[in-house]
Amino acid sequence: MILLGIETSCDETAAAVLVDGSVRSNIIYSQIAKHAPYGGVVPEIASRDHVRKLPGIIEEALNESGCSFEQLDGIAVTYGPGLASSLLIGYSAARALSQRLDIPLAGVHHHEGHIYSVFLGETPPVLDGAFPMMVLLVSGGDTKLVYMKAPGCYEIVGQTIDDAAGEALDKGALLLGLGYPGGPIIQKTAEGGNPQAIRFPRGLDNVGGEWKYDFDRKLCFSFSGLKTALLYYVQHNPDALKDETAKRNLIASYQEAVADALAVRVERALEQYDCVSFACAGGVSLNKVLREKLARLSEKCGLPLRLSSPKLCTDNAAMIAGAAHIKQSCGFAFEKPEDVNPNLRLENWSG
Ligand code: KG4
């Protein structure tokens, strides 16, 4: 089965071709340079850029895969969650193509794409022996722990109650004047710094008060206090940004707090839920410190860890086609969405 994937939910314009689940091409155009001057994604700029770039990106994905439009068996597109005006560009293109070529259209939840990206590569995905699996989903807009008894069976067991981990890195970097997006810049600037130099808060563990969420508090995340702690630290220690070593230590400590808050909750989730493996997906899963912590956890608890290859961590279309492929190979038909849904919820399709 030859699938074209299309992803335009935020600021990446992406198209990919998968043949029987193997990634044959994965073309990503990042709009980061266009949004960087504003310190975040500007929806109007994003959608206009998707319109300009998407046709060429689709053509490039087909060319690189050696497949033609006529050979396609289906199209998979992200229809939520994301920016409405950005989602609409990919969705409209995918819908028009599927009608023109008379092939099925599969709507894919963006997070499902991230989750199944850990199974994708140059060979067909192998899911045997992976479930039940705990997934830490860490992107720019979301931080969640998803327990999966089987493919298509999602139980959210913990999530952030305020900022996402990627957001904490992006906002922290802005506050320090490092630029956008913060994750990769913080990782680079922190190199050689002492991550134990400053003890930043890990969120939720030491605060009392009423708990009004449905999730176990121990499995939830909070990053807004960390951001405030960084602001106060810089206000009270203005020299911290003038001295190179002090700056590196500050940034390494901030990164450590984010990675530690994530890894500790994964460990707790693995203790509470019956799992045979665990995974981490989304843009923040690229982070070296987080990867090291999770690798150590994997050794400690004796459970295999699945991570995506770097090009499949941040937003891409291979993961969207991959999610559609996996759903279909589990015996579930493509579902054509009638519209985009910026607030789309992660729904079970099995179990
Ligand atoms: O998954 P993604 O591409 O977009 C969403 O679906 O939201 O993730 C983007 C996020 C940004 O917050 C970015 O700062 C973060 O991923 N990121 C990283 C790294 N590379 C990207 N965070 C930490 N370390 C990195 N190396």
Side-chain angles (χ1 to χ4, degrees), residues 7 9-12 32 81 110-111 114 137-142 164-171 180-188 255 258 281-290 312-316 319:
E7 153 68 40
S9 66
C10 190
D11 60 341
E12 267 91 22
I32 280 175
H110 182 74
H111 296 166
H114 277 306
L137 185 67
V138 266
S139 63
D142 232 293
E167 208 176 341
L169 293 164
D170 292 340
K171 289 179 177 170
Y180 174 85
I185 305 175
I186 284 189
Q187 178 172 304
K188 189 148 187 15
Q255 175 178 241
V258 173
V284 181
S285 72
L286 268 174
N287 187 261
K288 259 164 65 180
V289 175
L290 177 61
L312 292 167
C313 286
T314 48
D315 290 352
N316 66 87
M319 68 183 196

Side-chain angles (χ1 to χ4, degrees), residues 3 158 161 164 186 234 239 244 250-251 269 302 312 314 323 325 341 349:
L3 276 183
I161 60 161
I186 284 189
V234 175
D239 288 343
E244 266 315 305
L250 169 66
I251 296 168
L312 292 167
T314 48
H325 169 87
N341 182 350
W349 45 258

Side-chain angles (χ1 to χ4, degrees), residues 16 127 182 187 190 228 250 257 260 285 327:
L127 276 68
Q187 178 172 304
T228 311
L250 169 66
D260 196 35
S285 72
K327 184 172 175 183

Side-chain angles (χ1 to χ4, degrees), residues 117-338:
S117 70
V118 303
F119 295 104
L120 300 180
E122 287 170 8
T123 50
V126 179
L127 276 68
D128 295 344
F131 297 90
M133 176 171 85
M134 185 63 69
V135 185
L136 172 66
L137 185 67
V138 266
S139 63
D142 232 293
T143 300
K144 275 191 175 73
L145 277 166
V146 187
Y147 179 58
M148 294 178 67
K149 279 199 184 129
C153 189
Y154 311 104
E155 185 188 349
I156 297 170
V157 297
Q159 65 178 24
T160 181
I161 60 161
D162 41 56
D163 290 349
E167 208 176 341
L169 293 164
D170 292 340
K171 289 179 177 170
L174 274 187
L175 198 148
L176 298 173
L178 298 175
Y180 174 85
I185 305 175
I186 284 189
Q187 178 172 304
K188 189 148 187 15
T189 326
E191 269 168 27
N194 175 8
Q196 312 303 335
I198 303 152
R199 172 79 195 177
F200 282 114
R202 270 56 170 163
L204 290 178
D205 281 354
N206 300 317
V207 281
E210 195 194 340
W211 181 248
K212 57 181 186 206
Y213 304 94
D214 290 337
F215 305 102
D216 181 346
R217 181 185 187 129
K218 293 244 164 255
L219 301 182
C220 284
F221 309 83
S222 166
F223 292 103
S224 64
L226 170 64
K227 206 177 53 194
T228 311
L230 177 68
L231 176 68
Y232 286 165
Y233 186 87
V234 175
Q235 282 175 349
H236 293 133
N237 303 275
D239 288 343
L241 294 178
K242 292 182 191 141
D243 175 73
E244 266 315 305
T245 308
K247 185 174 167 183
R248 242 198 305 279
N249 288 348
L250 169 66
I251 296 168
S253 301
Y254 188 75
Q255 175 178 241
E256 175 73 13
V258 173
D260 196 35
L262 294 169
V264 162
R265 280 148 183 96
V266 175
E267 183 165 6
R268 288 178 193 157
L270 293 176
E271 281 161 8
Q272 287 188 30
Y273 288 83
D274 184 24
C275 299
V276 297
S277 78
F278 69 111
C280 180
V284 181
S285 72
L286 268 174
N287 187 261
K288 259 164 65 180
V289 175
L290 177 61
R291 284 186 169 230
E292 281 161 18
K293 284 185 187 293
L294 295 178
R296 276 201 295 277
L297 178 58
S298 165
E299 263 175 43
K300 184 175 163 191
C301 63
L303 295 177
L305 165 66
R306 288 184 162 77
L307 295 166
S308 325
S309 63
K311 219 183 156 188
L312 292 167
C313 286
T314 48
D315 290 352
N316 66 87
M319 68 183 196
I320 302 303
H325 169 87
I326 286 171
K327 184 172 175 183
Q328 210 203 30
S329 51
C330 289
F332 295 86
F334 281 178
E335 280 174 59
K336 177 174 150 189
E338 281 315 311

